[in-house]
Amino acid sequence: MPTCLPLVRRRCHACGAGHFQASGKFRVNAHHKLLDVWLLILCTRCGDTAKLTVMERANVRSIRPELLAGLHANDLALTAELLQDPALQRRNRIALDWSGAWRLDTGGSDHLDREAIDIAVRFTARIPIRPARLIAEGCALPRAEVERLITEGRLVSTARLNDRVSDNFTFTLKR
């Protein structure tokens, strides 16, 4: 589950840094009945402001009232939702950096001493992560041990364990 907003990977034109932090603020500009909406982001090194295009020349009547209210209120939940939108990421040519912005809730460690365990992983947000890393953290195993279990066939999953995933998956670990 996410603990904070992810960093935005984008080159700063002022200092050349590669990361921006979402400010949580929107700029809404009206042109008669048309709206332009941007999400403001701040460079992590120099503090320079950049804009991510959310909407361009959208008719005000075509925007859901709750979305418009969230934009005017600078809603952080809306910021998180929009940052994860693949269309917004493509339009603005950005990627998200989730390192340090999520935590793993295992629900306790009483299951780790069993001979075989079946675990279902559920994401509360679309956070791309390698299942092998998630399994290592959740089961308190070194990454090398997880890799060894995969090659021996004692760790099997419905997902590819060395590729990034952001959808729910299950795995079985045999000790």
Side-chain angles (χ1 to χ4, degrees):
M1 66 180 52
T3 57
C4 62
L5 292 175
L7 292 176
V8 175
R9 286 189 192 154
R10 178 178 171 174
R11 189 177 167 282
C12 178
H13 296 289
C15 70
H19 289 93
F20 282 80
Q21 179 67 46
S23 68
K25 296 186 181 189
F26 294 95
R27 175 153 184 224
V28 181
N29 200 10
H31 305 279
H32 302 285
K33 293 182 181 180
L34 303 176
L35 293 182
D36 289 330
V37 180
W38 299 280
L39 173 62
L40 301 178
I41 55 176
L42 304 171
C43 177
T44 56
R45 186 185 299 163
C46 69
D48 192 43
T49 303
K51 299 184 291 189
L52 300 179
T53 302
V54 177
M55 293 179 207
E56 286 182 307
R57 304 292 186 201
N59 190 314
V60 95
R61 292 183 185 259
S62 68
I63 301 172
R64 297 184 330 265
E66 62 273 4
L67 175 62
L68 192 56
L71 293 170
H72 286 300
N74 294 321
D75 185 15
L76 274 176
L78 180 60
T79 301
E81 179 185 329
L82 289 174
L83 276 176
Q84 295 178 46
D85 182 17
L88 182 126
Q89 292 177 18
R90 273 191 310 278
R91 181 184 309 128
N92 292 285
R93 294 186 199 107
I94 62 166
L96 299 181
D97 184 359
W98 284 96
S99 53
W102 61 273
R103 74 177 173 86
L104 179 64
D105 183 16
T106 60
S109 61
D110 58 339
H111 60 279
L112 297 177
D113 56 349
R114 296 185 189 152
E115 187 64 30
I117 55 174
D118 291 320
I119 296 183
V121 177
R122 298 198 191 336
F123 289 86
T124 58
R126 295 186 52 83
I127 302 172
I129 189 165
R130 286 187 173 81
R133 178 178 177 205
L134 196 67
I135 292 167
E137 280 194 34
C139 296
L141 295 171
R143 299 264 310 263
E145 175 73 12
V146 171
E147 294 297 328
R148 188 180 63 77
L149 290 170
I150 291 170
T151 57
E152 291 176 357
R154 296 192 306 169
L155 178 58
V156 293
S157 174
T158 57
R160 298 182 122 195
L161 295 172
N162 289 318
D163 290 345
R164 289 187 183 269
V165 299
S166 56
D167 294 325
N168 300 338
F169 67 95
T170 60
F171 70 90
T172 302
L173 173 63
K174 301 171 192 164
R175 299 267 177 160

